[in-house]
Amino acid sequence: MTVARTICLGFMAVIAVGTILLMMPFSTSNGTWNNLIVALFTSTSAVCVTGLSVVDPGTYFSFWGQFFIALLAQIGGLGYMTTTTFLILLIGRRFDMRQKIAIQQALDRPGMSGSAQVIRSIIATTLIFEITGVFLLLPAFVPEYGWSKGLWLAIFHSINAWNNAGFSLFKDNLIGYQSSFLVVFTITTLIIFGGIGYQVILEIYLWLRDRILKKTQNQIFSLDFKVATSTTLILLFLGVVAFFCIEIRNPETFGSLNLRDQILVAWFQSVTPRTAGFNTIDIGKMTTAGLFITIALMFLGASPGGTGGGMKTTTLRVLTSCTKAILQGKEEVLLYDRKIAISLILKAVGVLVGSVATVILATILISLTDPTLDFIQILFEVVSAFATVGLSTGITASISTAAKLILIVTMYVGRVGVLLLMSAVLGDPRPTRIHYPEENLLVG
């Protein structure tokens, strides 16, 4: 079995186990057996760190059901290979070359050396951020709900924010906390760092350590760091400005708020499409322009190596750099004075084409199964599922069973990745030794 198939089947196995657990009577608040579609959809959404839900998790599921959702989101955020490798390390076993290759592909690392140390560092980083998030959220939840429920709310939302899952135990998600600076700051910080990737966090840590220790040798940031951080900051800034300008006159979202809360809501709405799924406004009441901007941000997604989905920031920068090179008449694609390899350009094009094809196909199929829905609502739901975001205009619970199954498949494809899934189906690609003659072709 190929490495790609191992990873894809691993995610399927976790989803299957999660479905069985969520079907049990002790997982539902009324103590009865859960509906298969509800359990399957919720398990897939949790493992794929999406956050779309056909029921209200806070009232439909018992504590154990909510616990399983948080656990599945944790496993899904870390990734199947990271989780299984960590368990292997816990019991003291050594993993072979095949497992090292699987880790390399799952984490998109250039080499296989130091895989065990990387896994330990990822787990440690995850725990540090999530525990910090819990302590920051306690002052917001404990005074209102008491220690036991307040602590669980802090744990659940911290896990979901870091893993970019987006499940909330509040019926209106986080709309009730849209003016709480503490909640908005904590959730958005966890979302950004969870989605930006472990490599970026490590380089930030090394830079801070060198600054504190006053080392003379400066930390040299990698191209991954420069591209991920700069693209993330640009998209966040553009998102804030766009949402503020577009929704400012909409009394259903921004219009009725004061300036401070409008800025907080615009900031949160700029962060959450990449790719967390929490919301502090009613998404279904946004303007069409606001919805379309959200769709664009969801499709672009987070950064490689993080817990988010989407096309990824690095893919966007490679493609925009290709366009820039063409317009300038250059034959090389450059990023921060570094040449981008042709193989990476081809990979970026493949990700774009595969992502667009998946979204188009899913949108067409749901349009056929649920013809009464608006096109913008269907497109929004599909992109949210594919980019593993979890935002919804409110139609998730009311769509047909066939549409729910389509969204389940879309979430799965978005989580494992289009190229990895194709490798699992077609087998690992093998470079050819045959070279054909070049010929010009009219393009554009």
Side-chain angles (χ1 to χ4, degrees), residues 404-426:
K404 290 172 185 173
L405 293 175
I406 294 169
L407 287 182
I408 287 172
V409 175
T410 305
M411 288 189 286
Y412 176 77
V413 173
R415 181 63 185 94
V416 300
V418 176
L419 297 186
L420 187 67
L421 184 62
M422 292 303 297
S423 296
V425 175
L426 302 177

Side-chain angles (χ1 to χ4, degrees), residues 161-183:
W162 169 259
N163 291 291
N164 281 216
F167 281 101
S168 177
L169 299 182
F170 302 113
K171 194 160 190 174
D172 62 351
N173 208 280
L174 295 178
I175 294 178
Y177 294 91
Q178 64 182 194
S179 60
S180 172
F181 178 82
L182 179 61
V183 173

Side-chain angles (χ1 to χ4, degrees), residues 353-372:
V353 173
S355 300
V356 171
T358 303
V359 169
I360 291 175
L361 178 61
T363 302
I364 292 174
L365 291 176
I366 295 180
S367 297
L368 294 174
T369 60
D370 296 58
T372 58

Side-chain angles (χ1 to χ4, degrees), residues 187-189 191-192 236 243 266-276:
I187 295 295
T188 53
T189 301
I191 291 171
I192 292 171
L236 289 175
F243 285 121
W267 163 251
F268 196 95
Q269 191 57 33
S270 178
V271 173
T272 192
R274 324 228 344 277
T275 56

Side-chain angles (χ1 to χ4, degrees), residues 207-221:
W207 179 81
L208 289 174
R209 185 195 64 181
D210 292 345
R211 288 282 180 172
I212 294 171
L213 298 178
K214 297 180 179 179
K215 290 188 176 182
T216 55
Q217 185 176 4
N218 294 325
Q219 168 72 23
I220 300 176
F221 292 113

Side-chain angles (χ1 to χ4, degrees), residues 16-146:
V17 172
T19 302
I20 295 172
L21 290 174
L22 291 176
M23 282 186 64
M24 297 297 172
F26 53 76
S27 293
T28 59
S29 57
N30 58 11
T32 60
W33 286 89
N34 195 0
N35 179 276
L36 174 61
I37 297 298
V38 172
L40 176 61
F41 193 99
T42 307
S43 177
T44 305
S45 185
V47 174
C48 298
V49 290
T50 305
L52 284 175
S53 182
V54 294
V55 295
D56 176 20
T59 56
Y60 186 89
F61 291 102
S62 65
F63 166 77
W64 286 111
Q66 296 168 11
F67 173 79
F68 293 141
I69 291 174
L71 180 62
L72 291 171
Q74 187 76 82
I75 295 173
L78 289 172
Y80 164 73
M81 284 309 306
T82 302
T83 305
T84 54
T85 304
F86 179 67
L87 294 177
I88 291 173
L89 293 173
L90 275 183
I91 61 177
R93 286 181 53 193
R94 300 175 66 90
F95 44 92
D96 54 22
M97 181 64 68
R98 183 181 182 81
Q99 289 168 321
K100 290 182 179 180
I101 296 173
I103 296 168
Q104 178 194 8
Q105 289 196 8
L107 300 179
D108 201 15
R109 299 184 69 228
M112 291 181 290
S113 61
S115 297
Q117 184 60 40
V118 169
I119 297 297
R120 293 190 186 98
S121 300
I122 291 175
I123 299 295
T125 302
T126 298
L127 292 176
I128 290 172
F129 273 91
E130 289 181 349
I131 292 172
T132 303
V134 170
F135 279 107
L136 290 175
L137 290 174
L138 284 177
F141 298 148
V142 170
E144 185 176 355
Y145 296 97

